[in-house]
Amino acid sequence: MKHTDISKLLEQVREEKPLVHNITNIVVANFVANGLLAMGASPVMANAVEEVADMVKIANSLVINIGTLTSTQVEAMLIAGTAANHLGVPVILDPVGAGATPYRTETVQRILKTVKVDILRGNSAEVANVIGQNWLIKGVDSQEDGGDVVNLAQTAARKLDCVVVVTGKDDVVTDGNETFLVSNGDAILTKVTGTGCLVSSVIAAFAGITDQRIHAAVAALSFYGVAAEIAAEKVGHSGPGSFQIELLNQLANVTKEEIGKHSRISKIES
Amino acid sequence: MKHTDISKLLEQVREEKPLVHNITNIVVANFVANGLLAMGASPVMANAVEEVADMVKIANSLVINIGTLTSTQVEAMLIAGTAANHLGVPVILDPVGAGATPYRTETVQRILKTVKVDILRGNSAEVANVIGQNWLIKGVDSQEDGGDVVNLAQTAARKLDCVVVVTGKDDVVTDGNETFLVSNGDAILTKVTGTGCLVSSVIAAFAGITDQRIHAAVAALSFYGVAAEIAAEKVGHSGPGSFQIELLNQLANVTKEEIGKHSRISKIES
Amino acid sequence: MKHTDISKLLEQVREEKPLVHNITNIVVANFVANGLLAMGASPVMANAVEEVADMVKIANSLVINIGTLTSTQVEAMLIAGTAANHLGVPVILDPVGAGATPYRTETVQRILKTVKVDILRGNSAEVANVIGQNWLIKGVDSQEDGGDVVNLAQTAARKLDCVVVVTGKDDVVTDGNETFLVSNGDAILTKVTGTGCLVSSVIAAFAGITDQRIHAAVAALSFYGVAAEIAAEKVGHSGPGSFQIELLNQLANVTKEEIGKHSRISKIES
């Protein structure tokens, strides 16, 4: 995938302004909406069981994010996901904190049993939990070459029959056949809440304008990572408050020239 | 309405610090609270059916915002609105996304049947939906002279017997008799989530200190628009992140001199 | 308590990254999470009755914040608090708006009947309400020497048998025996929503790494107040938007040298 492809997809997002329906948590709802608006997409947040199926009808993609679950919200997720499947609206699942409590682990399984997920986006511990692996987080952090993370992502993609995105120092994107490594981003992203949730919704924005899901995910990750790099350089050592704001700025401002210059994508031979 | 009247009302808000009770959505709750605090009002957010009637008792105005509805929250809105009517506390309704789903359309009608709304604030598509008109959003965007929007606002005001505010490139304020056009604001407002929700609450702050509802709305819109213009100029092309923060700054900082210089209000002869 | 003790505790927070479980309101969830991340702690927000007891098991402290109560959330608070008591996880209660409505007053009493609270943090009107005193807010604001506030805090600490923190112009920390006055902070804190909620969670972060609860609270308040002072000086008269962002920056950046220079703590002889 070339950086010109990324720029073309980004341009398409900014022109078509895909409507991204987010069923998401109370911590990041504002940040995610602002990030989507900044990049040129149209966010909508709706959680009520009474309306989610109708909202999916006018949406270009659906994000299910389990960050602050309630039992009613889980019902809404199942209804919305089922409706999206019927309509061919791509579903992006963000299993926030899967494995932290049995409720999260079980809810993810319940969603996967009812809803065909098109793209799963999580960190390595979350994705491992989703496919029933006991993944030691310390272990992951020490493997900087990403070897095992690639294996994890591919195993998950084959098991769940979907595109899997494992974000971390490098991001892995795979459908079980093709595998890409995206090496953009900055460590300060971990100091701002919702930067992972937002990337899931950015992926959804790209998935809302192309059926090539793996390309949508790669483009989203590289675009987002480049925006983060430029933002981090701009704010220097100011701190995570300034970075959070500058990231929103850069999601609006990143140009194809900057993507061409900073985008770092490699294909992994399997 | 003269700009000195606006400054006088703003001064009164900053002195009396009206308590604005917001039943609002999870996306904008933080931004709305910060905007109200910045301008000198006192925000309170309370959604529980067990307490909204009591909170209304100590409030100077009530905002009902349907951005992320749940069935329980709708009950709370009806209880709070009824209590506000009994106490003479002005009710501002923001029908976020009315028309996007039947649930939103029906909920707005349910609220209007139970609660006497004093000020309705929405964009043209939302206000059209509230009064049962099928308004094409594309059509609205192309009519930049605001002709039809004025007609829409006046029709809604007469039908609902309340002050109607339709925000857009120009803002229309009318009670069906008197009609004002407020031509402040900046296009970047559409790139930050909750700027419409916040303006509803800013109107509520002004409505909390004067019974002249149409003047409260005109003053709020012009004040808010001037703050946005100054903020947009200050941040230049930095982006929507910086604008969001600078808007909060300017809500705190705007002076009567700046209002005098930038306020653009005209009365429409009917 | 010396400023070197504060720096040592802060260093420990940044190394151990205590997991602070927050059951909190929709207004401040994002700001609190970002504040905890910035200072080096690990935030988690979880409200579901199905999972709060499990989340407490992996947490170092629990914050119960009643800012936007719902009946289900109250159940979750009781379950989480009971679990925390059994596990020896410190519980911090923030009785936001206690006294504003009967529902808040009663909910606080219900929590106190079921859960052993380790640290109570509120403003003087809230703490007075918790112990059944009728405290006139106007009266409090006029007593700038803090005399009565000290008495209020000590009475509450003895009655509730816990550490009580009353924040205001000066902050009072007491367990009923030892009493400290922390004189850091800046008036602009009152212009940003959630700065009180965040300080409760910052106290929880410190309480997550030491059993010396009174020291945890004093250190948290002084650290937070110093960060606020530096942030306020940095942004000057820009406004509350810029201050909010700079406060997050300073929570990440404050050094032990700055704590040494700015920290103002005194012990009150009883």
Side-chain angles (χ1 to χ4, degrees):
Chain A
M1 200 178 180
K2 288 174 296 182
H3 64 78
T4 48
D5 299 331
I6 299 171
S7 297
K8 224 174 282 174
L9 288 172
L10 176 60
E11 212 172 304
Q12 209 179 327
V13 168
R14 287 176 176 166
E15 268 169 29
E16 298 182 18
K17 302 184 189 310
L19 186 68
V20 182
H21 177 189
N22 300 270
I23 303 182
T24 192
N25 67 73
I26 60 165
V27 184
V28 306
N30 181 270
F31 185 60
V32 167
N34 273 326
L36 287 171
L37 272 178
M39 76 177 284
S42 294
V44 70
M45 274 65 182
N47 304 328
V49 291
E50 291 89 345
E51 71 167 344
V52 287
D54 292 313
M55 201 59 97
V56 164
K57 282 185 204 162
I58 56 171
N60 297 98
S61 54
L62 170 69
V63 179
I64 297 176
N65 175 305
I66 68 161
T68 51
L69 285 173
T70 63
S71 54
T72 321
Q73 210 187 24
V74 175
E75 297 311 315
M77 289 169 176
L78 298 175
I79 294 170
T82 306
N85 286 170
H86 286 154
L87 295 160
V89 172
V91 177
I92 290 78
L93 175 63
D94 189 330
V96 182
T101 65
Y103 184 56
R104 295 192 184 219
T105 300
E106 288 156 22
T107 297
V108 169
Q109 295 308 318
R110 208 176 145 205
I111 293 170
L112 287 172
K113 225 169 262 173
T114 311
V115 180
K116 172 79 193 73
V117 167
D118 295 290
I119 306 176
L120 175 77
R121 202 291 312 168
N123 62 37
S124 42
E126 290 161 349
V127 172
N129 174 272
V130 173
I131 60 165
Q133 287 190 11
N134 198 356
W135 192 274
L136 292 176
I137 301 194
K138 287 277 176 198
V140 173
D141 280 348
S142 60
Q143 290 164 329
E144 297 204 332
D145 59 4
D148 283 340
V149 178
V150 169
N151 188 264
L152 168 70
Q154 290 173 335
T155 308
R158 285 171 200 142
K159 189 162 179 183
L160 303 171
D161 186 26
C162 72
V163 170
V164 169
V165 178
V166 182
T167 49
K169 193 173 170 307
D170 292 325
D171 305 326
V172 182
V173 183
T174 184
D175 59 3
N177 280 317
E178 272 194 308
T179 303
F180 291 90
L181 214 65
V182 182
S183 306
N184 289 113
D186 190 279
I188 199 178
L189 283 164
T190 64
K191 288 292 172 196
V192 177
T193 198
T195 52
C197 300
L198 176 51
V199 90
S200 296
S201 291
V202 171
I203 292 171
F206 279 85
I209 51 109
T210 175
D211 287 338
Q212 309 252 5
R213 275 161 203 162
I214 196 164
H215 286 183
V218 170
L221 289 164
S222 187
F223 158 65
Y224 188 77
V226 168
E229 288 171 26
I230 297 173
E233 202 189 319
K234 262 204 131 169
V235 302
H237 297 291
S238 302
S242 298
F243 172 75
Q244 174 195 358
I245 296 307
E246 192 57 35
L247 178 59
L248 293 176
N249 286 343
Q250 292 308 321
L251 289 174
N253 297 341
V254 163
T255 62
K256 57 184 174 184
E257 287 74 24
E258 288 169 324
I259 289 173
K261 195 174 157 197
H262 296 287
S263 177
R264 282 194 301 277
I265 298 167
S266 54
K267 195 164 177 176
I268 292 179
E269 306 303 325
S270 43
Chain B
M1 201 179 180
K2 288 174 296 182
H3 64 78
T4 47
D5 298 330
I6 299 171
S7 298
K8 224 174 281 174
L9 288 173
L10 176 60
E11 210 172 307
Q12 209 179 327
V13 168
R14 288 176 174 164
E15 267 169 31
E16 298 182 18
K17 302 184 192 309
L19 186 67
V20 182
H21 177 190
N22 300 271
I23 303 184
T24 192
N25 67 75
I26 60 165
V27 183
V28 307
N30 180 270
F31 185 60
V32 168
N34 273 326
L36 287 171
L37 272 177
M39 76 176 283
S42 294
V44 71
M45 273 67 180
N47 304 326
V49 291
E50 290 90 346
E51 73 168 343
V52 286
D54 292 313
M55 200 59 96
V56 164
K57 280 185 206 160
I58 56 171
N60 297 98
S61 53
L62 170 69
V63 179
I64 297 177
N65 175 308
I66 68 161
T68 52
L69 284 173
T70 62
S71 54
T72 323
Q73 210 187 23
V74 175
E75 297 312 314
M77 289 169 177
L78 298 175
I79 294 169
T82 306
N85 286 168
H86 286 154
L87 295 159
V89 172
V91 177
I92 289 80
L93 174 63
D94 190 330
V96 183
T101 64
Y103 184 56
R104 295 193 184 217
T105 300
E106 287 156 22
T107 298
V108 169
Q109 295 309 317
R110 209 177 144 204
I111 293 170
L112 287 172
K113 225 168 263 172
T114 312
V115 180
K116 173 78 193 73
V117 167
D118 296 290
I119 305 177
L120 175 77
R121 202 290 312 169
N123 61 36
S124 42
E126 290 161 350
V127 172
N129 174 271
V130 172
I131 59 164
Q133 287 190 10
N134 198 356
W135 193 274
L136 292 176
I137 300 193
K138 287 277 176 198
V140 172
D141 281 348
S142 60
Q143 291 165 327
E144 297 203 332
D145 58 3
D148 283 339
V149 178
V150 168
N151 188 264
L152 168 69
Q154 289 172 336
T155 307
R158 285 171 200 142
K159 192 163 177 182
L160 303 171
D161 187 26
C162 72
V163 169
V164 169
V165 178
V166 182
T167 49
K169 192 172 171 308
D170 292 326
D171 305 327
V172 181
V173 182
T174 184
D175 59 3
N177 280 318
E178 270 194 308
T179 304
F180 292 90
L181 214 64
V182 182
S183 306
N184 289 114
D186 189 281
I188 199 177
L189 282 164
T190 64
K191 289 292 172 196
V192 177
T193 199
T195 52
C197 300
L198 176 52
V199 89
S200 295
S201 291
V202 170
I203 292 171
F206 280 85
I209 54 108
T210 174
D211 288 336
Q212 310 252 5
R213 275 160 203 165
I214 196 164
H215 286 184
V218 170
L221 289 165
S222 188
F223 158 64
Y224 188 76
V226 168
E229 287 171 27
I230 297 173
E233 203 189 319
K234 263 204 133 170
V235 302
H237 298 289
S238 302
S242 298
F243 172 73
Q244 175 194 357
I245 296 308
E246 191 58 34
L247 178 60
L248 293 175
N249 287 342
Q250 292 308 322
L251 289 174
N253 297 340
V254 163
T255 62
K256 58 184 174 184
E257 287 74 23
E258 289 170 320
I259 289 174
K261 196 174 157 195
H262 296 286
S263 176
R264 282 194 300 277
I265 298 168
S266 54
K267 195 165 177 177
I268 291 179
E269 304 304 325
S270 43
Chain C
M1 199 180 180
K2 287 174 296 181
H3 64 78
T4 48
D5 299 331
I6 299 172
S7 298
K8 223 174 281 173
L9 288 173
L10 176 61
E11 212 172 306
Q12 207 179 329
V13 167
R14 287 175 176 166
E15 267 169 30
E16 298 182 18
K17 300 182 192 311
L19 186 68
V20 182
H21 177 188
N22 299 271
I23 303 184
T24 191
N25 67 75
I26 60 165
V27 184
V28 307
N30 180 270
F31 185 60
V32 167
N34 273 326
L36 287 171
L37 272 178
M39 75 175 285
S42 294
V44 70
M45 272 67 181
N47 303 326
V49 290
E50 290 89 347
E51 73 167 343
V52 287
D54 292 312
M55 201 59 96
V56 164
K57 281 185 205 161
I58 56 171
N60 297 98
S61 53
L62 170 69
V63 178
I64 296 177
N65 174 307
I66 69 160
T68 52
L69 283 174
T70 62
S71 54
T72 322
Q73 210 186 24
V74 175
E75 296 312 315
M77 289 169 175
L78 298 175
I79 293 170
T82 307
N85 286 169
H86 286 153
L87 295 159
V89 172
V91 177
I92 290 79
L93 175 64
D94 189 329
V96 182
T101 64
Y103 184 55
R104 296 193 182 217
T105 300
E106 287 157 22
T107 298
V108 169
Q109 295 308 319
R110 207 175 145 207
I111 293 170
L112 287 171
K113 226 169 262 173
T114 312
V115 181
K116 173 81 193 74
V117 167
D118 296 290
I119 305 177
L120 175 77
R121 200 291 312 168
N123 61 36
S124 42
E126 290 161 349
V127 171
N129 173 272
V130 172
I131 59 165
Q133 287 191 9
N134 198 358
W135 192 275
L136 291 176
I137 302 195
K138 287 277 177 197
V140 172
D141 280 348
S142 60
Q143 291 165 328
E144 297 202 332
D145 58 3
D148 284 338
V149 178
V150 167
N151 189 265
L152 168 69
Q154 290 172 335
T155 308
R158 284 169 201 143
K159 191 163 178 181
L160 302 171
D161 186 27
C162 72
V163 170
V164 169
V165 178
V166 182
T167 50
K169 194 174 171 306
D170 291 326
D171 305 326
V172 182
V173 182
T174 184
D175 59 3
N177 280 317
E178 269 193 309
T179 303
F180 291 90
L181 213 65
V182 182
S183 307
N184 289 112
D186 189 280
I188 199 177
L189 283 164
T190 64
K191 288 292 171 195
V192 177
T193 197
T195 51
C197 300
L198 176 51
V199 88
S200 295
S201 291
V202 171
I203 292 171
F206 279 86
I209 53 108
T210 174
D211 288 336
Q212 308 252 5
R213 275 161 203 162
I214 196 164
H215 286 183
V218 170
L221 289 165
S222 188
F223 158 65
Y224 188 77
V226 168
E229 287 171 27
I230 297 173
E233 202 189 320
K234 262 205 132 169
V235 302
H237 297 290
S238 302
S242 299
F243 172 74
Q244 174 194 0
I245 297 307
E246 192 58 34
L247 178 60
L248 293 176
N249 287 343
Q250 292 307 322
L251 289 174
N253 297 340
V254 163
T255 62
K256 58 182 174 187
E257 286 74 23
E258 289 170 321
I259 289 174
K261 195 173 156 196
H262 296 287
S263 177
R264 283 194 299 275
I265 298 168
S266 54
K267 195 164 178 179
I268 292 180
E269 305 303 325
S270 41

